[in-house]
Structure formats: structure tokens, C-alpha cells
Amino acid sequence: MGNPYNKIGFLVGPGGNADHIGDYVRICDSAGVPAFIAANDMTTGISDVLDLWQQGSTVPHNLLFRVVKGGGEHYAIPDYSLSPKDAALEYFDRIEPEINPVIKLNRDKIWIALGNELDKERCDWLGNWGYESSILWNAHGYKVALFGFASGTPEPAGWLTPGMIEFLRLASEHPLRIAVNLHEYSYDIDNILDIFPWKIGRFQFLFDVCDGLNINRPTVLMGEWGWVLDNVPSVDNGMLDVADVANLYAQFKTILGASAWTLQTWWSSIYNKLNKYVLPMADFSASYKMGSFSMQDKVFIAPDWEEEDNVQEMTFGIDVSRYQGNMDWAKAKSAGVNFAFIKLTEGTAATNRIKDVQFDRNWAGSKQAGIYRGAYHFYNAWLDPIAQADWFADNMPSDWDLPPVADVEDRRGASATENVDVRKFLLRVEERLGVKPIVYTAPGYWNSVVGYQSWAKDYDLWVAHWLVSSPQLPLGWNTWKFWQYDVIYGGGELGSQSDRLDVDNFNGSRIDLEEYVAQFKDPEPPSTECFEINPFTRTFLLYPKNPSPAQQDFIDNAMTVGVEVDGEIRSVGVSGWSTVDGFKDIREAIEAGKTNSRLLILDGESIGTGLNLAWLRANCPLMIPYTRWYESSSAPPPPPPPPPPPVEKIDLAGYIIGDGRRYYLKNHNGSTQEILQSQVGTDRSYQVKNTAWESFLIDQQWIRRDKDTSPGGGRYYTQREGDLPARWLPRFMSVGESFTVPLDVQFYNLSNCSKSAPNSGNVIDTRKLVKHYQKWTSRHGIPVDDVVEVQWINGGETYFYGNKYGLVGWERTHQDPNSPQWTAISELVDGGNNTRMSGCYS
């Protein structure tokens, strides 16, 4: 928030009296003020916030959840007898299964409290335990708050133990995912500021240590706050205390909230007394204006709140590949697109060799439209990282605006060495192209596959995290440069032929983006001390008489060096080269704005005597970025490689429609279960889920989809190419083969078969046969022989079909990485037949 606000909220839990807590949340939301809710075991209050966010609210309410399960130490205390790392693993295994499913599904939005009233004498051990716990829980998508120290603890020296310092450094680097959880009570019902700041206000000792160590102040939550455990003052008197302490907390940006004790059942009727505060607290929060804290002269650390903080500015862009078809870049520019990331390559020169078929067109069109652009390589975790980097660099144009991007999201073949392999790719790209690449990834992928890496922050981050007010950062980063924040289904308005389009933000204003791009432009010309000819000012083309294929490819995409001496254009002498009309090329270069492109192409190891790469490195290192060397060779060209063996085609008919066996499909959290069965009718085949169904027409060439009654919402849809059901897949495909088809999707209402407009229209769909498994095991542990993996590329879905079964697994490939979406076979069912639902659509 740009302005200070009241950070004192409520603690709720089993039993007690949480009446009007939803009203408190809604009143705060309407005023644009964050509410603070801490909940033990239950989702009371938290659910109200989640509902508001679902309805479109962008107010950054703060939520804290703790597993209590009746109190006691079982869910509060780690096992001090173990090493900190082992204790972190044991505590995770003990606590995580007990977290409410609603909290798990929204783990990127809710802090999880780890520990409660921990041993203040074990700060060094706890610091190490907190460090290990934070990395572990973050890797599973959770935001965590540690340690729940009781009010008045720990002693200030506890924050200075080596283990705790290591934890605080980690927390300071990840303020959106790691927080410190403190308790602040006065233990005096008549004086909320008794012996200030040793009880209320004790957070200052933590901040003081961080300031002294030059560590950013960590995020702080106060999971418990109040007067005494069994009573509160009258509302009139108590709200005066609340207002006073609210003025203290509001001075510090990293304090997110304090939850008043307590609205849950306790040994007294305190919950009924505190409940009288709920609506007054809501009104106070909605109208809060920062005032003076009564003991400001005893606040011993510097406040860090400044009036009217600058609202974060962001600049809009997109990312595209061949799936967007022929982009209208002029339309994109007029619609407000400032930058674009464009797919260039995938795979290596030898394996999965892909250069995006739309790249050259997109690259030229975006430049002509005045849009800053960068190229990305889709990194295959199963291929050699060095070979991938070389394939990427070999195809990279020289006239980029944004640094090259490593798109790191492919789980196929990802292993425990993924962090090493990704690092090799990044270093090789930097070696080849002379600039650190940007890393594109999602926190779910990076945290679970690559993990925390200290070197990550050396690279600018393009983070993928959809449908949130601010992105979660992968482990190792503390800021982002670009953010892929959503996928829209209105891409046509931005120049895309496909309705589906990824949208992005740059972390800054348009001017900031211009400055970011400018830092990668050519520096001032290198020193002229390396050359007898002066000045080194103009550019034109030099062509080799008999260029090699590599030279020709480079020449087609580059300018080279000439010099102007006393008004006369002269070339740098290169044996075996001829020169075109220098004046003509200079004029064209000026008109094209390329007079800063200076690149010397040398054919052979040296020119004349002495001018070679080693001499250049030693005497004129600034020339190295401008220099490209080629060695001539008189060796005969190698013989052409033998033709590849014929590609095996797979008949997909028996995978899409099975033999009628029935089995359960269950989703990722077990909340939804369907009985699936393939059925063959007179002219169509059916994939039946409980009673809903999809119909297929299969002939010798095509697998076509007809109707699908399973999307929910009282609707069904059809897919058509003209009057025919749309081709869904070729019947015979080879692994790695893709199929693209334009089709018309039309939704109808199940009740009367009338047309329904939402989601209907023309689309271009692409599906790919990704892999064939001799043996495959579902996420529920069911082994299935002979399975194919089909990916719906632009729909972001992956399907697994078992021969003689039908669909045995489904996964969302593009999703919020912290909210998994998948369904898989969980068990077989005895014989029988599913009854297909029927109606006017039958």
C-alpha cells in the first residue's frame, strides 16, 4: 500500500465467536485497506478474502494459517534432538498433511506459521532450522512465517547467532515468501505499552540487528497480539490502545499485520469480549489516518514509511511463437505493445532441431513497428545444454533489443543435475553472445526441479505466475524484470491470428524500458590506437569472393567495418575479399540508422603480419565484441549424411477409444472422481465420463471430434471444419510430429440446444504426439502398458492415452505452478456400462 494503514486484525480458530469477521473483511476491502486474519486450523475469514479475490478484488489482504489440532506441542515444536536439516524434513512431514485443503490450493496467497513459542535459548539451532525449513516449504509452493516467539523473547543477542543471521539474510532476499512471526503482548490489561519496547514494540530489536548487519528488514507478522490471555479492556478503552499501537506499526513497511488474541475458544470468555471489537476495528481500519504514536521518543530504530510511496509502474508487452500465426505487428503497436519476446529455437542442431517458422517474419515485423524485441530458446531438459546454447547462438540475429532468453520450464528429462545443466546453458550463451541471458521460469518449476541457487540473482528474471496481484519469485531471486502475468483469449485485438496470447509486464515505466534497452546498445567505438587509420567512424559491407555457408549466413545479417579518411571511404584490407561501392553502402547505412554497427570480418587467422585475435585481445580488448573471425579451408566438404531411417507411425485409434474396460480417474487432491469407459456406437465412438461424453469419428486417415457434453456449466460444444466434425489428430502419427488445424468451436445450452456465445468462435489448434511409453505409471501409482502422450500446445493441456483403455491421465501444462491441476487413473472398476446422458444434443 502506498499509504499507512491499520495492521491490527484478528485471530480466529475452532469454536469461539467469529461473528461479523466476514463483515470486517468486506468493509476493509471496500475501503481498499488490507485486512489481517490469522486462522488456526479453520478458514474462517480467510475464505471471505479468497471469495473477494475470486470476484476481482486486488486489495492485498494478509493471511496467516497455523496447524494447531487441539493445541499442545505436537504441531508447534520441531524435534530439537535432530540436526536442523533433518528436523526441517521431519516437521514438514508432520505438519504439511494436516493443512486445510483450501489453504493448500491457495498456498501462494497465504502465509503458513511454522513453530509456536519456540525455545528462546536455541536461537542458533532455530536459525539453521528456519533456513532449511524455508527452502523446503518454498520449494513446495508455500509462504512461511517463523518462529512464533512468545512476547518478550528472544533476547536481542539471539538474533545475532550465526544460524539466525543466515536465516535473516535468506528472509531479506525473499520478503514475499519468508517472514518472521512474532508475538507481542503487554501482559497488562491497563497499560498496552508497559515497559515499552520490551514487550509491545520488541520487533525493533530484530530490525536493529538487521540494520547493523546491512540486511534488509524482513517481513514481519505478529501471529498473536494483545493485552493478556484471558481478557481485553472495554471497547472504548481498548480501541484507544489499538489506535496508538497502529500508529507505531504503520511506520514500518515490512510489518504486515498483528492478530488480536483471540476469537477462538479459550479457557475464558475472551472470544465474546474480543468479538465486540470486530465492527469497530473494521470502521477504524476503513477510516484510519496516521497520527502520532504516544511514545515516539522511545522508538529507537528509524521508521521506513514515506508518505505516498510511488505506485509500481509496469509496461505492457507480449510473447509469441508460431502458434500466433502471422502477427499484425502494426496492430500490436497501436494496441499498446511496447516489447515482445519471440521464440527462436528449440533443441540442438542435431536433435529436435527447431527454428520457429514465424521467427524471421516476427523479428522483422516487430522491428518495423517500433517494438523492442528479444529472442528466446525453449530449453529441453533432456538435451545437452552446450549444444542447445550453440544452436541458439548460431541463429541469434545481431540486432536484438532485449537480451537472449532461456525459457526453462520443460519437465521432460529434468533430473537432479538440472541446476548444473541450466547453469552450463546460461554460461555458454553468455560466452557466445557476450551478454547475460534473461531466465524465463515459473516458481513451481524452478523451486521443485532446479532449487535454490545463489547464482540465480545474477540473471534478470522473467517470471511466469498468472492471475495474482504480484508474482511469487522463484528461489534465488529477490526481484523480477519481466512478468508473464496471464494468458488472454482476445489475442486478435493485439494482432495475433490465434485468440490465445501470453501477456507480460516490464518492471518499470516506458522510460525505464528504454534505459534498459539502451544499456545493451553498442558502446562508444573502441580505441583507435590499434589502427593507423583514423577516425574509426563509418560502416559499410565487405563481401568475401567465395563465402562459406557460415560466412554467407552471417553476411546476410550483419554490417562490417570501413573507415572515412579525409572524406574518402577506405576499407580495411582483407586478402581474398572484394569491396562494393563504399559511398553507396555508407548512404544506405545512414538511412537505415546503422552507422553504429561496427564489425570486422576476418577470413583466416590473421591479416598481414601481427593482426590476429591474440594480438587484438592483448592490445585492443574493446575491439573483441566487434570482431568475427573465420578460417578458410581448402578441405573438401564432408559427404552428405545418410538419409534418416523411416519414421515409425503409431496407429492412435486404439489409444483414443479403448476396448470398453472401466476405470476411475481421480484428480490431484481426490475431490473429484469419474468412471471412464470407451463405447462404440453405430457411427461414432464415445469416451464416457460418468454419464457425460465426447464423441469421435475415426476413419483410415483421421480421428475427428464431434461433441463434448462434459465441460460443465450446463453447456456442451461442437468442433467443426465446415459441415464436418473437426480433425483432431491424424490417425497415424510419429513421435515428435505436430498437427495444426483451423476449426470452429460452438457452445450450446444442454437444456434446449440453443447457441451460447462465451468461448465460441474460430481457433487454430495445434496438437503434438510427444512421447510413446512402453510402461507408464499414473500419478496415483497405477501402472499402464503402452501409453502415448499428446499435448494440446495452444490449449496448455497434456493427455495420456493407454492402448485399450482410452484417456488415463490429464495435466495442465500452463498453470499457476502452485495450484496443480491433473487427473489420473486411480483404480479399475468391475464390468458394466456407463449410461450416456441424453437430450436434444444426442
Side-chain angles (χ1 to χ4, degrees):
M1 297 290 292
N3 293 315
Y5 60 95
N6 170 42
K7 299 176 181 180
I8 300 174
F10 295 97
L11 173 65
V12 300
N17 183 356
D19 289 352
H20 302 298
I21 200 68
D23 295 324
Y24 156 75
V25 167
R26 286 184 287 275
I27 290 171
C28 289
D29 190 81
S30 296
V33 174
F36 185 74
I37 298 290
N40 292 338
D41 291 336
M42 303 181 67
T43 62
T44 304
I46 289 179
S47 294
D48 295 293
V49 171
L50 294 176
D51 287 344
L52 289 170
W53 283 339
Q54 184 68 31
Q55 296 163 19
S57 170
T58 58
V59 179
H61 304 292
N62 294 298
L63 308 173
L64 176 68
F65 180 86
R66 183 164 78 89
V67 174
V68 176
K69 300 292 183 181
E73 295 186 350
H74 181 70
Y75 296 103
I77 307 298
D79 189 342
Y80 295 126
S81 68
L82 301 175
S83 70
K85 185 169 186 176
D86 289 342
L89 290 167
E90 188 278 333
Y91 189 80
F92 178 87
D93 291 340
R94 184 173 9 133
I95 301 300
E96 200 275 342
E98 303 296 333
I99 294 176
N100 185 291
V102 172
I103 306 299
K104 287 187 178 183
L105 288 173
N106 295 277
R107 66 186 72 182
D108 61 320
K109 306 175 183 71
I110 302 168
W111 296 93
I112 304 296
L114 305 184
N116 191 61
E117 297 190 357
L118 301 184
D119 188 347
K120 65 180 182 179
E121 304 300 329
R122 300 177 186 262
C123 283
D124 185 57
W125 187 95
L126 285 171
N128 289 313
W129 173 78
Y131 182 93
E132 299 292 347
S133 294
S134 297
I135 291 176
L136 175 62
W137 285 78
N138 282 177
H140 286 80
Y142 289 97
K143 302 162 43 152
V144 292
L146 306 93
F147 302 85
F149 282 120
S151 184
T153 65
E155 297 305 320
W159 298 116
L160 284 166
T161 58
M164 194 61 76
I165 290 173
E166 186 176 18
F167 165 78
L168 292 176
R169 291 191 190 280
L170 183 68
S172 73
E173 293 175 357
H174 304 284
L176 300 179
R177 294 200 309 275
I178 305 172
V180 177
N181 179 17
L182 302 174
H183 297 173
E184 289 203 349
Y185 289 92
S186 68
Y187 299 130
D188 188 329
I189 197 170
D190 297 318
N191 182 7
I192 192 69
L193 298 177
D194 183 52
I195 62 168
F196 177 84
W198 293 94
K199 292 181 288 186
I200 298 292
R202 195 178 182 88
F203 68 89
Q204 293 182 89
F205 294 106
L206 166 62
F207 286 179
D208 188 46
V209 166
C210 292
D211 292 351
L213 294 172
N214 199 29
I215 298 173
N216 291 333
R217 296 173 184 176
T219 300
V220 168
L221 309 173
M222 294 172 191
E224 296 180 18
W225 177 92
W227 294 266
V228 293
L229 293 179
D230 59 354
N231 205 358
V232 296
S234 66
V235 173
D236 289 344
N237 292 328
M239 285 305 299
L240 294 175
D241 289 344
V242 167
D244 196 15
V245 179
N247 286 325
L248 169 65
Y249 292 160
Q251 299 178 58
F252 300 95
K253 294 178 181 179
T254 59
I255 296 178
L256 297 188
S259 53
W261 177 267
T262 174
L263 295 176
Q264 69 184 18
T265 297
W266 202 247
W267 60 65
S268 72
S269 59
I270 184 175
Y271 48 84
N272 285 325
K273 296 177 181 178
L274 184 65
N275 186 264
K276 296 176 182 179
Y277 280 73
V278 173
L279 292 178
M281 187 80 78
D283 292 338
F284 172 69
S285 295
S287 60
Y288 176 84
K289 302 295 182 184
M290 184 175 174
S292 298
F293 173 55
S294 62
M295 302 188 76
Q296 190 65 41
D297 59 329
K298 294 188 177 180
V299 175
F300 64 88
I301 61 164
D304 54 19
W305 170 80
E306 296 176 2
E307 188 172 0
E308 295 298 336
D309 288 335
N310 291 327
V311 177
Q312 182 184 39
E313 285 192 81
M314 293 184 283
T315 303
F316 177 66
I318 59 177
D319 57 277
V320 302
S321 67
R322 65 189 178 93
Y323 299 117
Q324 279 65 54
N326 293 331
M327 283 287 301
D328 184 338
W329 287 103
K331 188 174 184 181
K333 178 67 173 180
S334 64
V337 173
N338 294 278
F339 66 89
F341 288 110
I342 301 170
K343 183 174 181 180
L344 173 56
T345 51
E346 182 175 344
T348 74
T351 305
N352 196 32
R353 177 189 177 113
I354 294 174
K355 179 178 178 181
D356 193 276
V357 295
Q358 288 286 347
F359 178 79
D360 291 338
R361 186 182 184 281
N362 283 331
W363 197 252
S366 55
K367 180 174 184 177
Q368 186 175 8
I371 293 172
Y372 292 134
R373 73 267 200 271
Y376 72 87
H377 174 88
F378 187 88
Y379 178 81
N380 295 141
W382 47 284
L383 290 177
D384 177 70
I386 301 299
Q388 290 190 76
D390 286 339
W391 174 239
F392 185 33
D394 288 345
N395 285 280
M396 174 65 70
S398 61
D399 59 339
W400 49 266
D401 304 306
L402 302 170
V405 177
D407 180 345
V408 185
E409 60 174 307
D410 183 10
R411 288 184 180 271
R412 292 171 296 163
S415 66
T417 64
E418 190 65 11
N419 55 340
V420 176
D421 293 339
V422 169
R423 180 70 162 145
K424 288 179 180 177
F425 177 86
L426 297 172
L427 291 173
R428 180 64 168 179
V429 170
E430 183 177 358
E431 177 186 349
R432 287 290 310 275
L433 299 178
V435 64
K436 284 185 180 295
I438 296 169
V439 174
Y440 167 94
T441 195
Y445 177 91
W446 189 271
N447 295 353
S448 61
V449 176
V450 182
Y452 175 78
Q453 304 299 328
S454 60
W455 48 259
K457 62 180 177 294
D458 297 335
Y459 297 88
D460 286 341
L461 171 66
W462 175 16
V463 60
H465 196 182
W466 296 357
L467 302 176
V468 292
S469 58
S470 61
Q472 178 184 340
L473 299 180
L475 293 171
W477 279 281
N478 54 24
T479 188
W480 55 272
K481 187 65 68 175
F482 296 90
W483 169 24
Q484 186 187 81
Y485 64 90
D486 202 357
V487 58
I488 64 169
Y489 291 88
E493 298 178 3
L494 297 172
S496 171
Q497 278 193 318
S498 170
D499 198 41
R500 187 182 187 278
L501 182 66
D502 293 333
V503 286
D504 307 273
N505 278 322
F506 170 76
N507 195 356
S509 66
R510 169 71 190 190
I511 294 176
D512 294 330
L513 178 62
E514 292 174 356
E515 293 176 351
Y516 181 71
V517 170
Q519 69 179 303
F520 303 111
K521 297 298 183 183
D522 285 344
E524 288 300 312
S527 167
T528 60
E529 294 175 1
C530 306
F531 301 93
E532 296 179 359
I533 303 174
N534 188 50
F536 185 84
T537 56
R538 293 287 184 261
T539 69
F540 65 94
L541 298 175
L542 295 176
Y543 291 97
K545 288 181 177 178
N546 298 298
S548 68
Q551 289 172 330
Q552 186 62 56
D553 179 70
F554 183 78
I555 291 164
D556 289 343
N557 294 281
M559 298 292 292
T560 57
V561 168
V563 292
E564 181 179 357
V565 181
D566 299 328
E568 180 184 358
I569 304 301
R570 300 180 185 177
S571 63
V572 177
V574 181
S575 176
W577 292 61
S578 63
T579 307
V580 297
D581 181 348
F583 290 97
K584 174 177 178 290
D585 288 299
I586 287 293
R587 185 177 66 252
E588 291 178 354
I590 293 172
E591 292 172 354
K594 294 183 177 179
T595 57
N596 290 324
S597 177
R598 303 175 175 88
L599 190 54
L600 178 65
I601 299 181
L602 303 179
D603 184 39
E605 295 181 354
S606 64
I607 299 177
T609 58
L611 180 53
N612 53 42
L613 190 57
W615 183 89
L616 210 58
R617 283 198 179 108
N619 294 278
C620 193
L622 289 178
M623 267 302 294
I624 296 298
Y626 298 86
T627 307
R628 184 72 172 252
W629 296 80
Y630 294 105
E631 293 187 14
S632 299
S633 174
S634 59
V647 178
E648 179 184 359
K649 295 281 187 176
I650 300 174
D651 184 353
L652 298 178
Y655 296 86
I656 306 302
I657 298 298
D659 60 6
R661 66 187 69 190
R662 298 204 304 166
Y663 49 92
Y664 281 116
L665 287 182
K666 187 185 295 184
N667 73 347
H668 60 277
N669 62 13
S671 62
T672 301
Q673 182 167 271
E674 301 172 310
I675 296 180
L676 203 80
Q677 184 182 40
S678 295
Q679 297 178 1
V680 178
T682 56
D683 61 345
R684 281 166 171 73
S685 299
Y686 299 87
Q687 183 175 273
V688 188
K689 308 170 188 175
N690 292 337
T691 61
W693 47 266
E694 301 173 49
S695 58
F696 295 84
L697 280 76
I698 302 177
D699 58 29
Q700 290 301 312
Q701 186 176 6
W702 301 106
I703 298 173
R704 297 177 181 270
R705 283 190 67 181
D706 187 12
K707 296 177 183 176
D708 186 346
T709 69
S710 63
R715 301 195 302 163
Y716 73 96
Y717 66 89
T718 63
Q719 296 186 1
R720 289 283 188 272
E721 288 181 87
D723 295 330
L724 293 175
R727 293 169 294 167
W728 196 62
L729 285 172
R731 177 167 171 172
F732 298 91
M733 295 185 74
S734 57
V735 172
E737 182 179 349
S738 297
F739 172 66
T740 300
V741 60
L743 52 87
D744 179 72
V745 177
Q746 179 61 58
F747 277 80
Y748 299 85
N749 296 305
L750 284 169
S751 59
N752 57 13
C753 294
S754 60
K755 288 185 177 181
S756 173
N759 304 113
S760 298
N762 297 319
V763 297
I764 299 175
D765 270 357
T766 299
R767 278 166 288 279
K768 180 178 182 179
L769 180 57
V770 176
K771 195 169 184 179
H772 175 244
Y773 303 85
Q774 295 294 340
K775 293 186 179 296
W776 176 84
T777 302
S778 82
R779 287 178 178 259
H780 290 302
I782 304 299
V784 180
D785 292 337
D786 196 5
V787 172
V788 294
E789 178 181 345
V790 176
Q791 190 173 98
W792 178 21
I793 302 296
N794 46 316
E797 297 180 0
T798 297
Y799 312 98
F800 299 90
Y801 291 96
N803 192 12
K804 300 182 180 179
Y805 282 83
L807 183 71
V808 292
W810 169 89
E811 296 180 5
R812 175 75 68 184
T813 58
H814 293 81
Q815 61 177 310
D816 179 344
N818 299 307
S819 299
Q821 297 180 36
W822 55 265
T823 300
I825 184 172
S826 57
E827 61 180 298
L828 296 178
V829 184
D830 292 337
N833 286 305
N834 290 15
T835 300
R836 297 198 299 271
M837 59 190 290
S838 61
C840 58
Y841 45 85
S842 300

